[in-house]
Amino acid sequence: MTVISAPVDFNEEELYVDLRSIVGHALFLKCEGFNFAGSIKLKAAREMVEAAEWSGDLKPGSILIESSSGNLGVALSIIAASKGYGFVCVTDVRCNVSARRAMEALGSQVHVIPQPATNDGLLGARIAYVRALCAADERYVWLNQYANADNWRAHSRTTAPAIARHFPGLDVLFVGAGTTGTLMGCARYFKELRRRVRIVAVDSVGSVTFGGESGRRMIPGLGTSVRPALLNEAYVDDVVVVEETDTIRTCHRLARRGFLFGGSTGTVVSGAGRWLDEHDAHDLTAVAIAPDLGDRYLDTIYHPKWLHEFYGDDVLATDDLTGDLERDLSVNHSDSPAR
């Protein structure tokens, strides 16, 4: 029996899904969504908050503020509520409605940025708003997940060692790239141990993280319009960039096997499957990290009307596991959910 007194005290670290029957390769998916925040972001949130408390930056009466596309905002909302801090999440129109409602239910304030900055997109506009609030009121404490080393330290201390314990012969690790906290924490851990683990970063088309051209991205989580300050490409062996249509198809393929995962997970699994297809994957031990679950995406990547609005009728046409949803896309779209 597990008994806890704070929500951060529970996080399932030992669960993996064998995806061999779905992707056609031996690929083990580390599931990070089984905690009260519903995502891997609880680890980084806890590490950053506790470090800010230890340094004295965060104290009674402080108001946490952070830019987030959803998952970190929910994690910080949980921690702020349990510790008695105020919290303001600055997000944008791509943030899932369910994530916004979760933050508000936990007592947080959510500010939605409607328009991108001229050069730095929606992320740049979010950060500019955070900086302005911090300059206007000294009670605000910005953890800055994009440049905070405690973001990656959380994963060097927890996620990577957990993988190493269960897969001592690990050959390749697939990690999604958002702030690159998870990526850098895991990569640093394995590289500094001098282990021969190939680190493959998975990014989204439209992200500038690895030098790509900025473009439209409707699925929050991975990718960015501003290069992450945490990123050190010397720790990364390969990069796979995934189209959002492939993310969606992978999510639906997993769901048709009973595994409801989020968009970030769909991107990582899609990229991992492609990399394994293109390399000699025989006898390789491969692990991918699933950052989140799918319940916050029910109004977006799992909703036929949303799919039709942003990706057209053919987004699932090549996936024989989603025939019913493909047919649903041809029905009346007038009740498309709010963006």
Side-chain angles (χ1 to χ4, degrees), residues 109-192:
Q109 296 181 42
V110 181
H111 182 85
V112 180
I113 298 293
Q115 297 295 331
T118 302
N119 296 320
D120 295 328
L122 285 165
L123 177 57
R126 279 162 35 186
I127 291 174
Y129 187 84
V130 170
R131 291 187 190 278
L133 283 185
C134 290
D137 191 332
E138 63 181 12
R139 292 177 302 165
Y140 285 111
V141 176
W142 181 27
L143 297 173
N144 192 2
Q145 63 165 324
Y146 310 103
N148 191 328
D150 291 305
N151 185 345
W152 67 258
R153 287 192 187 107
H155 302 289
S156 181
R157 190 173 64 81
T158 61
T159 310
I163 294 170
R165 282 196 305 272
H166 292 291
F167 297 91
L170 183 65
D171 294 302
V172 57
L173 177 64
F174 299 96
V175 190
T179 65
T180 68
T182 307
L183 174 64
M184 286 293 97
C186 292
R188 285 173 179 271
Y189 176 86
F190 284 111
K191 297 300 185 184
E192 289 168 7

Side-chain angles (χ1 to χ4, degrees), residues 2-13:
T2 300
V3 178
I4 64 173
S5 57
V8 295
D9 292 338
F10 173 77
N11 184 67
E12 174 56 61
E13 191 77 87

Side-chain angles (χ1 to χ4, degrees), residues 31 64 75 99 111 126 161 193 197 209 211 228 260 267 278 281 284 288-289 317 324 326 337:
C31 301
L64 286 165
H111 182 85
R126 279 162 35 186
L193 279 181
V197 177
T209 300
L260 192 68
T267 302
E278 295 170 356
L284 284 182
I289 296 176
D324 291 340
E326 181 188 350

Side-chain angles (χ1 to χ4, degrees), residues 239-243 246 269-279:
V239 178
V240 180
V241 182
V242 176
E243 294 275 3
D246 291 328
V269 172
S270 177
R274 197 170 85 217
W275 190 95
L276 292 168
D277 284 342
E278 295 170 356
H279 293 74

Side-chain angles (χ1 to χ4, degrees), residues 231-278:
L231 178 62
N232 184 340
E233 292 185 61
Y235 288 96
V236 179
D237 296 299
D238 285 315
V239 178
V240 180
V241 182
V242 176
E243 294 275 3
E244 287 193 331
T245 50
D246 291 328
T247 292
I248 292 165
R249 289 166 185 152
T250 299
C251 284
H252 283 274
R253 186 174 293 112
L254 290 166
R256 285 300 176 268
R257 299 298 183 92
F259 296 110
L260 192 68
F261 284 109
S264 297
T265 298
T267 302
V268 172
V269 172
S270 177
R274 197 170 85 217
W275 190 95
L276 292 168
D277 284 342
E278 295 170 356

Side-chain angles (χ1 to χ4, degrees), residues 53-75:
E53 290 175 327
W54 184 86
S55 69
D57 292 336
L58 189 59
K59 48 190 175 293
S62 293
I63 302 172
L64 286 165
I65 186 168
E66 186 57 85
S67 160
S68 170
S69 61
N71 282 340
L72 183 71
V74 174

